[in-house]
Amino acid sequence: LKSIKTKMLRIVHLYVRSLIRHLDDIALLTASQCLDVLVVSETWLDDGISDGEIFLPGYSVTRFDRNRRGGGVAVFCANYLNCSILSQDILASGLESSWVTVA
């Protein structure tokens, strides 16, 4: 029998209460760890902040901004992965969700 090697995905979630305020720490984290996917909640981003302002080397970002103080989700996927958004929604209760496929 052939040995099958599989790679486990390394996925991390951070609750940050302002991505901009914690961006330097997050950049250090992604530089020191081999993360495949980084999910950040409570980003507090709005359309006045460009993707370039939250750039992390080696990652692409998909955002779901609330355009107000509070809320927001960002998904950073390593560039070697094929990530795409399935859906993004805010439920009546205020719960935010981002569904992403990773291949």
Side-chain angles (χ1 to χ4, degrees):
L1 291 173
K2 253 186 185 178
S3 174
I4 299 174
K5 289 187 176 185
T6 60
K7 182 181 182 218
M8 303 293 282
L9 284 176
R10 292 182 52 138
I11 302 171
V12 171
H13 170 262
L14 298 174
Y15 174 84
V16 297
R17 297 185 64 193
S18 178
L19 177 59
I20 294 295
R21 187 175 61 196
H22 298 287
L23 193 58
D24 290 340
D25 292 329
I26 292 169
L28 288 172
L29 173 72
T30 57
S32 66
Q33 303 295 316
C34 296
L35 303 179
D36 298 305
V37 179
L38 173 63
V39 181
V40 180
S41 60
E42 292 295 326
T43 61
W44 296 3
L45 298 177
D46 59 36
D47 55 9
I49 299 169
S50 71
D51 287 352
E53 292 176 80
I54 59 167
F55 174 75
L56 293 174
Y59 292 86
S60 62
V61 65
T62 302
R63 298 165 41 172
F64 187 36
D65 299 342
R66 291 284 291 270
N67 288 317
R68 63 176 181 80
R69 185 170 175 92
V73 177
V75 180
F76 293 89
C77 288
N79 288 338
Y80 53 82
L81 293 174
N82 182 14
C83 296
S84 59
I85 295 294
L86 289 176
S87 69
Q88 293 179 315
D89 199 9
I90 300 176
L91 303 179
S93 66
L95 177 70
E96 297 170 75
S97 67
S98 290
W99 292 84
V100 180
T101 60
V102 179

